[in-house]
């Protein structure tokens, strides 16, 4: 198996969502993990704005940061930093995601855009929220 083919198999077979957005925020890569997480087939997502999965209330903040990152090549989030944000699925459900980003650069060092590897952590986030609520209730009873 050639290296390029091997990479393709790894990306396509990943259970995590792998998404690449170009410098303008247009989706250029959407793997099977992204299809499963967000409900859009690759053919529906590729060529569309990342607004597809960004809740409307967060879009202005997202795009401010995105444009700054594309201009400077620097992100507030270092390599390997785990980001946690809400996202929206095709059927309108709000989910909690965690992801890392890597800036993809062309042969001349120009910024092509970010690649994100995302995981749905909605169930864990809900459990943690419920545990915090229960702890607060227990502390209130003990006071």
């Amino acid at each position: 198996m050639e290296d390029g083919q091997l990479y393709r198999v790894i990306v396509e077979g990943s259970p995590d969502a792998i998404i690449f957005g170009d410098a303008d925020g247009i989706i250029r890569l959407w793997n099977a993990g992204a299809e499963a997480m967000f409900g859009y087939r690759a053919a529906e997502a590729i060529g569309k704005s990342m607004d597809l999965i960004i809740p409307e209330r967060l879009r202005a903040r997202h795009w401010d940061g995105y444009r700054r990152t594309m201009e400077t090549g620097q992100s507030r989030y270092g390599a390997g930093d785990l980001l946690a944000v809400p996202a929206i699925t095709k059927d309108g459900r709000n989910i909690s995601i965690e992801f890392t980003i890597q800036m993809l650069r062309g042969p001349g060092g120009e910024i092509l855009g970010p690649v994100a590897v995302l995981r749905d952590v909605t169930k864990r986030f809900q459990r943690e929220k419920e545990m915090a609520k229960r702890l607060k209730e227990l502390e209130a009873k003990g006071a």
Side-chain angles (χ1 to χ4, degrees), residues 10-26:
I10 291 169
V11 168
E12 281 306 314
S14 173
D16 289 330
I18 301 175
I19 300 172
F20 168 64
D22 67 16
D24 295 319
I26 303 300

Side-chain angles (χ1 to χ4, degrees), residues 73-136:
Q74 300 295 316
S75 170
R76 306 183 339 180
Y77 309 104
D81 283 353
L82 194 59
L83 309 173
V85 297
I88 192 162
T89 64
K90 182 178 181 177
D91 63 8
R93 286 180 303 114
N94 287 302
I95 61 173
S96 298
I97 60 171
E98 288 182 343
F99 64 101
T100 56
I101 60 169
Q102 171 191 350
M103 292 306 293
L104 196 61
R105 294 183 180 269
E110 70 279 11
I111 299 168
L112 301 176
V115 176
V117 178
L118 308 93
R119 182 168 286 164
D120 183 347
V121 294
T122 305
K123 289 178 184 172
R124 187 186 79 212
F125 181 74
Q126 289 170 338
R127 279 193 313 269
E128 289 171 358
K129 205 169 155 180
E130 182 59 32
M131 286 187 338
K133 179 182 171 189
R134 289 286 299 139
L135 181 58
K136 190 174 182 177

Side-chain angles (χ1 to χ4, degrees), residues 36-55:
M37 184 181 299
F38 295 104
Y40 293 97
R41 293 185 324 276
E44 295 175 284
I46 293 173
K48 299 286 190 316
S49 166
M50 283 192 274
D51 282 346
L52 202 62
I53 60 172
I54 301 168

